Amino acid sequence: MAGREDGNRQRETQAGQGQTWAEELLEHLRPAGRDVRRVVGWLSGAVRGSVALQDAAGNLMAGTRIPLDEDLVTDITAGRIASAAWQSRERHLRLVRVEHPSHTCVLAVSRETSFDRRAADVVTHTAQVIELLLTARESTAAGHRLRRATSDLRLAILQLLMVEDTIAARRVAAGLWPGLLDADSACVYVVESDPAVRDRIAEECLDSTGEDALVVRCPAMDGHVIVVSPRDTTGEALRSLIGRHPDIFLGGSVRQSLARTATAYGQAVSALAVAHFRPNKTAVYAERTHPERLMDPQALRGWTARVLRPLDTLPHHTRAELLATTRLGLEFTAVNAAKVLGVSRNTVRARMERVEALLGTDFADLTVRAVVHLALNTQIGLTDAQFTDGTANSTLRLSDLLSGPAVRTWAQNLLGRLDADARNPRRTLRTWIAVGGNAERAAQALGMHAQTVREHVRSAEPVLERQLLAAGTDLYEVVLAHLAVGDLDLPVLHRHD
């Protein structure tokens, strides 16, 4: 008897290197060891038998398949009995009910020898551990689903704002974040981090801003978190966040109406590029003199209405959809615009091609893109009522808008900054724009290497204080400056300009 007791102790402690079976089992509740399959595998070794964990439908969740009596399994999963034992000459079987948040499971253990007190205790307590693990896993999964659904809802609200559907955006936001979008205007911020830590940074943005901001993981840029907030305190909260992390950056827009969220987003991205060169790693979009502010407002409105008139025959929803998509498509690549809008890139291209056809022009031409971009940005603030005074019938053309003394002076001063460079980047930039921003074609026209063209264009960016290699407002303003001074030919839009 003594020898058998010593042998039993040896078998009990062998797997755990000195630990009792209870200690071994508890180890599976540690964060690093919470795996139902591992627990089932451990139980198989602890009782020297076969173990199966299956649901009421007979689906094997862990372990190895064991032939079981279906009626007995049904009685256990239905709650009529909590456990059962069965034996034959070849095997001994024990079944225990395992509660689960969504459905009850059965833990079945089969072995060749009968279940002594120790083996029975191991099975019972293991069932309890598995129950805890399944409940924790279900709770964790539910939490993940809730966070994912909330994240998707925030993205949907942002996409509605991007296409100027502020009414729908407010309606969607009101259910979870009452009052968030009640203001008429907001600032947009973009936080940039390594993509590997973006989720953590997004959670910190949520904690920092509370319920006062719309925090969205950017669908287009893996390392970006977009924050839209009407509250003045949000900027300071985000700057405090930037100060706590060595490798993240913040760009912010000026305050814009909710309908101009896409414009504000472009400003925040532009400011983000500047933030990389700032000691505090933050920057707010610098309000500067934009060419449209130097034009006669009434003439600009009339010209805009006339340029976009071919779209007026479309249903209101279709027209708004085409305009919003084209505005984003001109600011970003078709791929990124599609991700922001939540549609396919083919949809973005198809909508833009339809606008091209209606306007009778080609967006491959940078001058066309700049002029249409001007019209679309002007159109944001217009309503049909503003044209009842006959403004839309103005005969002024684009050449008249760009030939005003204020616009010409602005354009000359802007491009004149490049004249001091002996490499003549101004000529390179003009040629590069004329060939649609294609470095290879510009190099052929200038008789230089394509990399030299790119270097000239890149070197012009800090001088002009505008991003040029990325399409967007900065580039289009420089294109308009070239048109104003006569360095480039004016594009033709359905024979009105």
Side-chain angles (χ1 to χ4, degrees):
M1 291 294 291
R4 283 196 297 271
E5 281 188 7
D6 291 340
N8 287 340
R9 289 197 191 98
Q10 180 66 25
R11 286 197 296 273
E12 286 181 17
T13 60
Q14 185 175 7
Q17 295 181 347
Q19 293 177 312
T20 67
W21 66 264
E23 291 173 326
E24 290 180 5
L25 182 57
L26 288 175
E27 286 292 326
H28 290 282
L29 289 175
R30 294 181 181 275
R34 294 174 183 173
D35 187 330
V36 171
R37 290 184 176 84
R38 287 179 58 187
V39 174
V40 169
W42 172 87
L43 176 60
S44 177
V47 299
R48 297 181 180 275
S50 299
V51 182
L53 178 68
Q54 71 174 53
D55 60 20
N59 298 311
L60 186 66
M61 301 172 63
T64 57
R65 178 72 64 181
I66 298 176
L68 301 176
D69 183 275
E70 293 184 4
D71 293 336
L72 191 57
V73 171
T74 300
D75 287 341
I76 292 177
T77 56
R80 287 188 284 271
I81 56 176
S83 62
W86 179 90
Q87 67 181 46
S88 68
R89 291 182 179 179
E90 293 79 17
R91 65 175 181 147
H92 295 258
L93 183 68
R94 184 162 293 234
L95 292 84
V96 181
R97 184 170 73 243
V98 176
E99 296 292 343
H100 187 273
S102 57
H103 55 274
T104 302
C105 305
V106 173
L107 178 66
V109 182
S110 174
R111 63 185 225 161
E112 296 178 355
T113 58
S114 61
F115 286 84
D116 56 16
R117 178 67 178 272
R118 171 188 173 278
D121 285 346
V122 171
V123 172
T124 300
H125 286 85
T126 302
Q128 295 171 351
V129 168
I130 291 175
E131 184 175 307
L132 290 173
L133 293 179
L134 290 177
T135 301
R137 187 170 70 181
E138 185 77 9
S139 300
T140 301
H144 284 319
R145 288 194 296 270
L146 178 59
R147 285 191 291 273
R148 178 59 185 270
T150 305
S151 178
D152 290 346
L153 188 58
R154 291 192 185 99
L155 175 58
I157 295 169
L158 176 66
Q159 289 169 341
L160 289 169
L161 291 174
M162 287 291 195
V163 296
E164 305 166 36
D165 195 346
T166 56
I167 295 176
R170 286 186 172 118
R171 186 181 299 121
V172 174
L176 288 178
W177 303 284
L180 175 62
L181 299 180
D182 285 352
D184 294 326
S185 61
C187 291
V188 175
Y189 303 89
V190 176
V191 180
E192 181 182 36
S193 68
D194 186 288
V197 300
R198 182 177 70 164
D199 286 348
R200 178 167 58 84
I201 297 300
E203 291 300 321
E204 291 195 38
C205 288
L206 285 168
D207 292 339
S208 298
T209 59
E211 300 296 315
D212 292 337
L214 180 69
V215 178
V216 180
R217 292 166 177 79
C218 180
M221 302 298 292
D222 290 339
H224 288 188
V225 176
I226 303 170
V227 181
V228 182
S229 176
R231 312 285 188 261
D232 293 332
T233 56
T234 299
E236 187 58 37
L238 293 177
R239 281 188 285 273
S240 176
L241 171 65
I242 301 303
R244 298 196 298 270
H245 295 275
D247 298 318
I248 63 176
F249 303 88
L250 174 68
S253 74
V254 296
R255 184 169 288 273
Q256 298 281 2
S257 68
L258 289 180
R260 293 179 64 95
T261 299
T263 299
Y265 172 54
Q267 291 181 348
V269 172
S270 179
L272 185 63
V274 177
H276 280 265
F277 303 99
R278 295 280 182 84
N280 62 358
K281 301 174 296 179
T282 67
V284 175
Y285 184 75
E287 272 289 25
R288 58 194 181 219
T289 303
H290 299 288
E292 62 268 25
R293 297 183 181 179
L294 303 175
M295 301 174 187
D296 179 83
Q298 186 176 3
L300 180 59
R301 288 196 297 269
W303 171 82
T304 295
R306 192 173 69 254
V307 166
L308 301 179
R309 183 177 294 153
L311 284 77
D312 292 345
T313 58
L314 301 173
H316 177 76
H317 175 75
T318 302
R319 181 178 185 273
E321 186 177 70
L322 291 180
L323 290 175
T325 301
T326 302
R327 189 175 299 114
L328 279 176
L330 293 177
E331 284 284 353
F332 310 104
T333 65
V335 173
N336 285 348
K339 290 178 180 177
V340 171
L341 291 172
V343 299
S344 72
R345 60 184 177 183
N346 289 335
T347 299
V348 171
R349 288 173 178 143
R351 291 175 184 174
M352 294 184 70
E353 286 171 1
R354 188 174 181 186
V355 173
E356 281 180 305
L358 288 167
L359 299 184
T361 192
D362 182 2
F363 286 155
D365 187 330
L366 275 180
T367 61
V368 170
R369 294 173 71 91
V371 170
V372 174
H373 182 268
L374 172 64
L376 291 176
N377 276 349
T378 304
Q379 180 269 340
I380 291 177
L382 302 183
T383 63
D384 294 338
Q386 287 178 283
F387 301 119
T388 57
D389 59 357
T391 304
N393 297 320
S394 170
T395 58
L396 284 176
R397 298 178 179 274
L398 177 63
S399 56
D400 299 312
L401 294 175
L402 295 176
S403 63
V407 177
R408 287 185 60 83
T409 299
W410 164 82
Q412 289 167 350
N413 290 339
L414 178 65
L415 298 180
R417 302 178 191 176
L418 300 173
D419 292 340
D421 193 326
R423 299 174 302 167
N424 201 359
R426 180 168 176 174
R427 182 188 64 165
T428 305
L429 180 58
R430 178 176 66 246
T431 306
W432 178 76
I433 292 173
V435 295
N438 186 293
E440 285 73 17
R441 291 169 58 192
Q444 291 177 355
L446 294 169
M448 61 176 62
H449 196 277
Q451 186 58 33
T452 304
V453 172
R454 296 187 187 95
E455 290 173 358
H456 282 198
V457 175
R458 190 175 290 110
S459 68
E461 290 184 324
V463 178
L464 299 177
E465 297 179 334
R466 285 163 173 81
Q467 293 186 92
L468 302 176
L469 292 173
T473 301
D474 285 2
L475 172 60
Y476 299 142
E477 286 188 357
V478 174
V479 173
L480 290 178
H482 281 85
L483 296 175
V485 299
D487 284 357
L488 292 171
D489 294 332
L490 295 172
V492 175
L493 299 178
H494 56 83
R495 295 185 300 279
H496 286 300
D497 284 296

Short mmCIF file of all heavy atoms in Angstrom, two decimals, residues 30-62:
data_model
loop_
_atom_site.label_atom_id
_atom_site.label_comp_id
_atom_site.label_asym_id
_atom_site.label_seq_id
_atom_site.Cartn_x
_atom_site.Cartn_y
_atom_site.Cartn_z
N ARG A 30 -4.21 31.96 -15.69
CA ARG A 30 -3.36 33.14 -15.87
C ARG A 30 -3.57 33.70 -17.28
O ARG A 30 -3.88 32.95 -18.22
CB ARG A 30 -1.89 32.78 -15.67
CG ARG A 30 -1.54 32.37 -14.25
CD ARG A 30 -0.06 32.06 -14.12
NE ARG A 30 0.28 31.64 -12.78
CZ ARG A 30 0.56 32.48 -11.78
NH1 ARG A 30 0.54 33.80 -12.01
NH2 ARG A 30 0.86 32.02 -10.58
N PRO A 31 -3.42 35.02 -17.47
CA PRO A 31 -3.67 35.64 -18.79
C PRO A 31 -2.93 34.95 -19.93
O PRO A 31 -3.46 34.80 -21.02
CB PRO A 31 -3.18 37.08 -18.59
CG PRO A 31 -3.36 37.34 -17.13
CD PRO A 31 -3.07 36.03 -16.45
N ALA A 32 -1.69 34.50 -19.68
CA ALA A 32 -0.90 33.90 -20.76
C ALA A 32 -1.34 32.47 -21.07
O ALA A 32 -0.93 31.91 -22.09
CB ALA A 32 0.58 33.92 -20.40
N GLY A 33 -2.14 31.87 -20.20
CA GLY A 33 -2.47 30.47 -20.41
C GLY A 33 -3.93 30.17 -20.65
O GLY A 33 -4.37 29.03 -20.54
N ARG A 34 -4.73 31.19 -20.94
CA ARG A 34 -6.18 31.01 -21.08
C ARG A 34 -6.54 30.45 -22.46
O ARG A 34 -6.87 31.18 -23.38
CB ARG A 34 -6.90 32.33 -20.85
CG ARG A 34 -6.76 32.84 -19.42
CD ARG A 34 -7.35 34.22 -19.25
NE ARG A 34 -7.13 34.72 -17.90
CZ ARG A 34 -7.42 35.95 -17.49
NH1 ARG A 34 -7.95 36.80 -18.36
NH2 ARG A 34 -7.20 36.32 -16.25
N ASP A 35 -6.46 29.14 -22.55
CA ASP A 35 -6.76 28.46 -23.81
C ASP A 35 -7.52 27.18 -23.48
O ASP A 35 -6.98 26.26 -22.84
CB ASP A 35 -5.46 28.15 -24.56
CG ASP A 35 -5.71 27.59 -25.95
OD1 ASP A 35 -6.74 26.92 -26.15
OD2 ASP A 35 -4.86 27.81 -26.84
N VAL A 36 -8.78 27.08 -23.91
CA VAL A 36 -9.61 25.93 -23.60
C VAL A 36 -8.99 24.65 -24.14
O VAL A 36 -9.00 23.60 -23.49
CB VAL A 36 -11.03 26.12 -24.16
CG1 VAL A 36 -11.85 24.83 -24.04
CG2 VAL A 36 -11.74 27.26 -23.44
N ARG A 37 -8.41 24.72 -25.34
CA ARG A 37 -7.80 23.52 -25.93
C ARG A 37 -6.63 23.02 -25.09
O ARG A 37 -6.44 21.81 -24.93
CB ARG A 37 -7.35 23.81 -27.36
CG ARG A 37 -8.50 23.99 -28.35
CD ARG A 37 -7.97 24.18 -29.75
NE ARG A 37 -9.05 24.25 -30.72
CZ ARG A 37 -9.72 25.35 -31.01
NH1 ARG A 37 -9.40 26.50 -30.39
NH2 ARG A 37 -10.70 25.34 -31.89
N ARG A 38 -5.87 23.93 -24.55
CA ARG A 38 -4.75 23.53 -23.71
C ARG A 38 -5.24 22.89 -22.41
O ARG A 38 -4.65 21.92 -21.91
CB ARG A 38 -3.88 24.74 -23.39
CG ARG A 38 -3.04 25.22 -24.56
CD ARG A 38 -2.22 26.45 -24.19
NE ARG A 38 -1.33 26.17 -23.06
CZ ARG A 38 -0.60 27.09 -22.44
NH1 ARG A 38 -0.70 28.36 -22.85
NH2 ARG A 38 0.17 26.78 -21.44
N VAL A 39 -6.33 23.43 -21.86
CA VAL A 39 -6.89 22.85 -20.64
C VAL A 39 -7.39 21.43 -20.89
O VAL A 39 -7.15 20.52 -20.09
CB VAL A 39 -8.04 23.74 -20.10
CG1 VAL A 39 -8.71 23.06 -18.90
CG2 VAL A 39 -7.51 25.11 -19.70
N VAL A 40 -8.09 21.25 -22.00
CA VAL A 40 -8.58 19.92 -22.35
C VAL A 40 -7.41 18.96 -22.55
O VAL A 40 -7.45 17.80 -22.11
CB VAL A 40 -9.48 19.98 -23.60
CG1 VAL A 40 -9.77 18.58 -24.14
CG2 VAL A 40 -10.77 20.71 -23.28
N GLY A 41 -6.35 19.41 -23.20
CA GLY A 41 -5.17 18.58 -23.39
C GLY A 41 -4.52 18.22 -22.06
O GLY A 41 -4.05 17.09 -21.85
N TRP A 42 -4.47 19.21 -21.16
CA TRP A 42 -3.90 18.95 -19.84
C TRP A 42 -4.73 17.91 -19.09
O TRP A 42 -4.19 17.00 -18.46
CB TRP A 42 -3.85 20.25 -19.04
CG TRP A 42 -3.45 20.04 -17.60
CD1 TRP A 42 -2.21 20.00 -17.09
CD2 TRP A 42 -4.35 19.81 -16.50
NE1 TRP A 42 -2.25 19.76 -15.74
CE2 TRP A 42 -3.56 19.64 -15.35
CE3 TRP A 42 -5.74 19.74 -16.38
CZ2 TRP A 42 -4.11 19.40 -14.10
CZ3 TRP A 42 -6.29 19.50 -15.14
CH2 TRP A 42 -5.49 19.33 -14.01
N LEU A 43 -6.07 18.03 -19.16
CA LEU A 43 -6.95 17.08 -18.47
C LEU A 43 -6.73 15.66 -18.99
O LEU A 43 -6.72 14.70 -18.21
CB LEU A 43 -8.41 17.50 -18.67
CG LEU A 43 -9.47 16.56 -18.09
CD1 LEU A 43 -9.30 16.41 -16.59
CD2 LEU A 43 -10.87 17.08 -18.43
N SER A 44 -6.53 15.54 -20.27
CA SER A 44 -6.30 14.20 -20.86
C SER A 44 -5.08 13.54 -20.23
O SER A 44 -5.09 12.36 -19.90
CB SER A 44 -6.14 14.32 -22.37
OG SER A 44 -5.85 13.08 -22.96
N GLY A 45 -4.02 14.33 -20.05
CA GLY A 45 -2.81 13.78 -19.44
C GLY A 45 -2.98 13.55 -17.95
O GLY A 45 -2.44 12.59 -17.39
N ALA A 46 -3.73 14.44 -17.28
CA ALA A 46 -3.88 14.33 -15.83
C ALA A 46 -4.67 13.10 -15.42
O ALA A 46 -4.39 12.52 -14.35
CB ALA A 46 -4.55 15.60 -15.29
N VAL A 47 -5.65 12.70 -16.21
CA VAL A 47 -6.47 11.53 -15.84
C VAL A 47 -6.15 10.32 -16.69
O VAL A 47 -6.79 9.28 -16.56
CB VAL A 47 -7.98 11.87 -15.97
CG1 VAL A 47 -8.36 13.00 -15.04
CG2 VAL A 47 -8.36 12.19 -17.41
N ARG A 48 -5.16 10.46 -17.58
CA ARG A 48 -4.73 9.37 -18.47
C ARG A 48 -5.92 8.80 -19.24
O ARG A 48 -6.25 7.61 -19.16
CB ARG A 48 -4.05 8.27 -17.67
CG ARG A 48 -2.78 8.71 -16.97
CD ARG A 48 -2.15 7.57 -16.20
NE ARG A 48 -0.94 8.01 -15.54
CZ ARG A 48 0.27 8.06 -16.10
NH1 ARG A 48 0.40 7.72 -17.36
NH2 ARG A 48 1.30 8.47 -15.39
N GLY A 49 -6.60 9.69 -19.97
CA GLY A 49 -7.75 9.26 -20.75
C GLY A 49 -7.98 10.16 -21.94
O GLY A 49 -7.20 11.07 -22.23
N SER A 50 -9.08 9.91 -22.64
CA SER A 50 -9.48 10.74 -23.79
C SER A 50 -10.51 11.75 -23.31
O SER A 50 -11.39 11.43 -22.50
CB SER A 50 -10.08 9.87 -24.90
OG SER A 50 -9.13 8.92 -25.36
N VAL A 51 -10.42 12.97 -23.83
CA VAL A 51 -11.30 14.05 -23.39
C VAL A 51 -11.91 14.72 -24.61
O VAL A 51 -11.21 14.96 -25.60
CB VAL A 51 -10.54 15.09 -22.53
CG1 VAL A 51 -11.49 16.18 -22.05
CG2 VAL A 51 -9.86 14.42 -21.36
N ALA A 52 -13.21 15.03 -24.51
CA ALA A 52 -13.89 15.76 -25.58
C ALA A 52 -14.76 16.85 -24.96
O ALA A 52 -15.45 16.60 -23.96
CB ALA A 52 -14.75 14.81 -26.41
N LEU A 53 -14.72 18.03 -25.55
CA LEU A 53 -15.62 19.12 -25.18
C LEU A 53 -16.48 19.41 -26.39
O LEU A 53 -15.97 19.79 -27.44
CB LEU A 53 -14.84 20.37 -24.77
CG LEU A 53 -15.69 21.59 -24.39
CD1 LEU A 53 -16.45 21.31 -23.09
CD2 LEU A 53 -14.81 22.84 -24.25
N GLN A 54 -17.78 19.20 -26.26
CA GLN A 54 -18.66 19.40 -27.40
C GLN A 54 -19.90 20.16 -26.99
O GLN A 54 -20.28 20.21 -25.81
CB GLN A 54 -19.05 18.06 -28.03
CG GLN A 54 -20.01 17.21 -27.18
CD GLN A 54 -20.46 15.96 -27.91
OE1 GLN A 54 -19.62 15.18 -28.40
NE2 GLN A 54 -21.77 15.76 -28.00
N ASP A 55 -20.54 20.82 -27.98
CA ASP A 55 -21.75 21.56 -27.69
C ASP A 55 -22.97 20.66 -27.85
O ASP A 55 -22.86 19.48 -28.17
CB ASP A 55 -21.86 22.80 -28.58
CG ASP A 55 -21.89 22.48 -30.05
OD1 ASP A 55 -22.19 21.32 -30.41
OD2 ASP A 55 -21.61 23.38 -30.87
N ALA A 56 -24.17 21.23 -27.65
CA ALA A 56 -25.40 20.45 -27.67
C ALA A 56 -25.66 19.85 -29.04
O ALA A 56 -26.32 18.81 -29.17
CB ALA A 56 -26.58 21.31 -27.24
N ALA A 57 -25.16 20.50 -30.09
CA ALA A 57 -25.37 20.00 -31.45
C ALA A 57 -24.39 18.91 -31.83
O ALA A 57 -24.45 18.37 -32.94
CB ALA A 57 -25.28 21.14 -32.45
N GLY A 58 -23.46 18.58 -30.93
CA GLY A 58 -22.48 17.55 -31.21
C GLY A 58 -21.21 18.05 -31.85
O GLY A 58 -20.35 17.25 -32.24
N ASN A 59 -21.07 19.38 -31.98
CA ASN A 59 -19.85 19.94 -32.57
C ASN A 59 -18.70 19.86 -31.58
O ASN A 59 -18.84 20.29 -30.42
CB ASN A 59 -20.08 21.40 -32.97
CG ASN A 59 -21.16 21.55 -34.01
OD1 ASN A 59 -21.17 20.84 -35.02
ND2 ASN A 59 -22.11 22.45 -33.77
N LEU A 60 -17.57 19.32 -32.02
CA LEU A 60 -16.40 19.17 -31.16
C LEU A 60 -15.70 20.52 -31.02
O LEU A 60 -15.29 21.13 -32.00
CB LEU A 60 -15.45 18.13 -31.75
CG LEU A 60 -14.24 17.77 -30.88
CD1 LEU A 60 -14.70 17.05 -29.61
CD2 LEU A 60 -13.27 16.90 -31.68
N MET A 61 -15.57 21.00 -29.79
CA MET A 61 -14.94 22.28 -29.54
C MET A 61 -13.47 22.13 -29.16
O MET A 61 -12.67 23.02 -29.42
CB MET A 61 -15.68 23.02 -28.42
CG MET A 61 -17.16 23.27 -28.73
SD MET A 61 -18.07 23.94 -27.32
CE MET A 61 -17.23 25.49 -27.05
N ALA A 62 -13.13 21.00 -28.55
CA ALA A 62 -11.73 20.73 -28.16
C ALA A 62 -11.61 19.26 -27.84
O ALA A 62 -12.59 18.58 -27.53
CB ALA A 62 -11.33 21.59 -26.96
#
